[in-house]
Amino acid sequence: MNISLIIPSYNTEKHLINTYNSVRKYYKDVEMVIINDGSTDNTSEWLEALEDDNVIKINSKERKGHTFFYDEGMRQATNEIVGIMHSDMIIGPNYIENTLKHLKRGKVVCATRIEPPIHPAGKEKIVMDFGMDHDDLKWEEFEKFCSEKSNEFKDITTKGIFAPWVLYKEDHFAIGGHDQIFAPYGYEDSDIFNRWILAGYEMIQSRDAFVYHLTCRGHRWNKGVGIVNDDYESTMSRCRHDFIRKWGDWIQNDEYQFPIINPKYDVGIILPHNNIDLLRALEPWCSNIYCDNSLGKHYITTDQPKSNYNLSERVLSINNEKNNEILITIGDKFEQQDFQIINQLSAIIKDSGEVGEFELGNLKIEILQIKDYINELINL
């Protein structure tokens, strides 16, 4: 088959073995690129001992994250079609056939996840309990369910996107692949989804291509459900703020998990208050923020390690010339409703914005020009 499956793993040895076995159960020769991402469990030893001529092994001593290794795995893959899988997924029968039958150049095809009842239900997935961990998977029940549902959902597609997905390698790298500001992990998926859509790719979800997904075992809970990894909160916080810095907005999806992408405007916030917490809350939501010089320097010193953006280019003295196309001046009071307005500003301006000055809540907003920079974010 003209497809390579890319499977990074960080400390998920037992889950990874299940993933590998599920692929080999149905596909004896399909190429897998299996990556040990600097694990401290026995993943390295298992991978080294694996005797499989159709597995490309990347056994890294350094943890670089799946944001990096998805792309590196694709580069080393020998096929023109590539797909990513999480190391806490097992595939069902006809997974590859039911995915590839929808694939063309300029399309991304994702499978349908079946997940245990841990997270909220959604129209893009099926919630069923076929086991909660690597050692209690109900393999036969899962396979039977997939076979029955494959007939029910034969050739049905919806418009959505989530891992696992497949596409032509050339399409992925045409826009630069994953953005490494989100390494080692954290919202790199939402970023690449946005960029694929803006590049004109079609998103297809195949409803008869099934995987069972235990969820979050590759980063958040790889020691078990509810046992949060030490670096998880800080890593996700950094990537969350950098996502907002990049897109000027937070992640939004429709009921099928298809991204809703608002415009990216050139926004400057003028902050008269000498308040580090307010500066920290507002800075990601604009191109520049203007504040007291000493406050800005303190913020840059303390928060630069938490961002891959150069905060010195973003945080400027309140005495600087204000050259942004949209300016927001924070009033004497600042309340939760004002923060919500800033969070929703892209949608507000998209729906009803026009050049001029007006007030919303305690905010004075001056729109000098309305220009959408969103397409500048497609290519790295």
Side-chain angles (χ1 to χ4, degrees):
M1 286 187 167
N2 182 25
I3 185 172
S4 300
L5 300 177
I6 318 301
I7 312 170
S9 173
Y10 173 67
N11 286 343
T12 60
E13 176 204 5
K14 293 181 173 62
H15 294 290
L16 177 63
I17 292 171
N18 285 337
T19 303
Y20 169 80
N21 287 337
S22 77
V23 175
R24 281 290 171 258
K25 180 176 183 179
Y26 304 112
Y27 307 102
K28 302 302 182 185
D29 300 323
V30 71
E31 182 173 273
M32 286 183 269
V33 183
I34 300 181
I35 302 147
N36 169 39
D37 183 17
S39 301
T40 58
D41 62 6
N42 293 319
T43 300
S44 177
E45 291 80 2
W46 174 80
L47 186 57
E48 281 299 320
L50 181 64
E51 296 182 0
D52 189 329
D53 292 338
N54 291 306
V55 170
I56 296 173
K57 302 176 183 180
I58 301 177
N59 208 342
S60 175
K61 294 181 179 180
E62 176 187 359
R63 187 187 184 195
K64 297 183 179 180
H66 59 242
T67 301
F68 173 82
F69 276 122
Y70 284 147
D71 287 12
E72 181 59 25
M74 291 180 196
R75 291 185 186 98
Q76 296 198 27
T78 65
N79 291 304
E80 62 179 349
I81 297 172
V82 291
I84 66 104
M85 290 185 64
H86 295 180
S87 60
D88 60 354
M89 292 176 172
I90 62 172
I91 66 170
N94 298 311
Y95 166 78
I96 292 178
E97 292 87 346
N98 289 343
T99 305
L100 293 187
K101 67 184 177 182
H102 301 292
L103 184 66
K104 295 180 180 178
R105 295 188 185 276
K107 284 189 177 183
V108 183
V109 181
C110 74
T112 297
R113 292 167 293 137
I114 303 171
E115 294 182 348
I118 297 175
H119 307 290
K123 289 188 176 181
E124 81 288 357
K125 62 183 176 181
I126 297 170
V127 176
M128 291 286 292
D129 185 359
F130 293 111
M132 298 293 288
D133 215 330
H134 64 85
D135 56 355
D136 68 351
L137 293 176
K138 303 169 186 175
W139 291 83
E140 292 183 2
E141 291 181 30
F142 169 64
E143 184 176 48
K144 180 181 178 183
F145 180 86
C146 291
S147 298
E148 293 172 353
K149 289 295 180 181
S150 290
N151 293 325
E152 181 180 343
F153 292 109
K154 182 176 174 60
D155 297 331
I156 293 176
T157 64
T158 49
K159 189 178 180 181
I161 185 67
F162 196 89
W165 41 257
V166 303
L167 82 169
Y168 279 86
K169 185 195 301 189
E170 183 180 357
D171 285 340
H172 182 66
F173 288 114
I175 62 171
H178 285 95
D179 191 338
Q180 297 306 311
I181 69 168
F182 301 110
Y185 61 85
Y187 308 111
E188 82 292 333
D189 49 358
S190 292
D191 177 82
I192 195 73
F193 299 163
N194 283 1
R195 291 164 51 223
W196 283 335
I197 292 167
L198 292 170
Y201 300 175
E202 184 179 358
M203 305 290 114
I204 296 291
Q205 182 173 14
S206 176
R207 303 313 299 236
D208 58 0
F210 296 111
V211 298
Y212 190 59
H213 180 213
L214 285 170
T215 80
C216 301
R217 308 309 170 87
H219 47 77
R220 184 181 183 185
W221 291 337
N222 61 21
K223 298 177 184 177
V225 175
I227 305 173
V228 179
N229 283 343
D230 294 339
D231 70 345
Y232 177 78
E233 295 296 344
S234 60
T235 299
M236 295 300 282
S237 176
R238 173 180 61 78
C239 291
R240 183 181 305 113
H241 286 100
D242 278 353
F243 186 95
I244 297 168
R245 288 180 179 106
K246 179 174 182 177
W247 291 94
D249 202 9
W250 185 232
I251 299 163
Q252 299 179 60
N253 298 295
D254 69 11
E255 59 186 350
Y256 286 96
Q257 289 297 300
F258 187 82
I260 299 168
I261 307 171
N262 285 315
K264 172 70 183 292
Y265 299 117
D266 177 25
V267 177
I269 294 178
I270 302 169
L271 177 64
H273 307 290
N274 192 8
N275 185 323
I276 187 67
D277 293 330
L278 192 52
L279 172 58
R280 187 168 285 125
L282 294 176
E283 177 271 321
W285 293 92
C286 58
S287 304
N288 298 107
I289 190 163
Y290 303 89
C291 62
D292 177 80
N293 196 43
S294 60
L295 177 67
K297 287 181 178 179
H298 173 63
Y299 174 71
I300 292 167
T301 299
T302 58
D303 282 51
Q304 184 59 74
K306 304 174 186 176
S307 176
N308 283 322
Y309 282 85
N310 185 348
L311 298 186
S312 296
E313 297 177 353
R314 299 175 55 82
V315 181
L316 305 176
S317 170
I318 200 164
N319 297 318
N320 276 36
E321 185 175 357
K322 319 298 188 298
N323 294 317
N324 304 94
E325 295 170 2
I326 298 171
L327 292 171
I328 303 173
T329 302
I330 306 299
D332 293 336
K333 294 181 179 180
F334 187 83
E335 300 173 346
Q336 183 61 35
Q337 66 173 5
D338 302 314
F339 189 57
Q340 292 174 352
I341 290 169
I342 291 174
N343 291 178
Q344 299 168 12
L345 188 65
S346 293
I348 292 171
I349 294 175
K350 175 186 175 182
D351 291 341
S352 56
E354 57 184 30
V355 172
E357 295 184 18
F358 58 96
E359 292 184 359
L360 281 177
N362 296 302
L363 307 175
K364 177 185 175 183
I365 301 175
E366 182 179 8
I367 300 178
L368 304 172
Q369 182 178 347
I370 300 177
K371 182 179 178 181
D372 184 3
Y373 292 89
I374 200 76
N375 286 328
E376 295 183 8
L377 304 179
I378 298 173
N379 296 299
L380 299 182

